[in-house]
């Protein structure tokens, strides 16, 4: 996993797991902890991303519901 993805996992407490499957021709899969979801999807706590940039942008605090602090 890239240093940027490691940093996201360490600094965004709503992210439970990041699975970087790009080496296998797949996406970066982000799983949020229970109680959190992506704000633009109904009840969705798992999302695939094509790039680290997209992952960083869409996992920001303002794009996640359930973040209280």
């Amino acid at each position: 996993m890239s240093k940027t993805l490691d940093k996201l996992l360490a600094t965004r407490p709503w992210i439970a797991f990041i699975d970087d499957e790009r080496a296998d021709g797949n996406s970066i899969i982000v799983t949020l902890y229970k109680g959190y979801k992506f704000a633009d999807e109904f009840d969705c706590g798992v999302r695939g991303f094509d790039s680290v940039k997209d992952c960083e942008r869409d996992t920001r605090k303002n794009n996640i519901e359930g973040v209280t602090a």
Side-chain angles (χ1 to χ4, degrees):
M1 188 160 47
S2 75
K3 288 181 181 182
T4 302
L5 293 176
D6 284 336
K7 183 177 179 182
L8 291 179
L9 188 58
T11 61
R12 297 183 179 182
W14 46 89
I15 298 176
F17 189 73
I18 298 176
D19 187 14
D20 189 353
E21 299 181 353
R22 293 177 294 167
D24 298 326
N26 297 319
S27 301
I28 301 166
I29 309 300
V30 174
T31 304
L32 303 178
Y33 280 107
K34 185 175 180 174
Y36 297 100
K37 67 177 187 164
F38 292 97
D40 62 346
E41 292 189 43
F42 176 75
D43 203 27
C44 181
V46 178
R47 181 180 284 179
F49 297 96
D50 292 328
S51 70
V52 173
K53 181 179 178 181
D54 291 343
C55 181
E56 190 280 327
R57 180 195 62 223
D58 288 358
T59 61
R60 291 179 190 157
K61 185 177 179 179
N62 63 319
N63 292 323
I64 305 296
E65 288 187 6
V67 179
T68 58

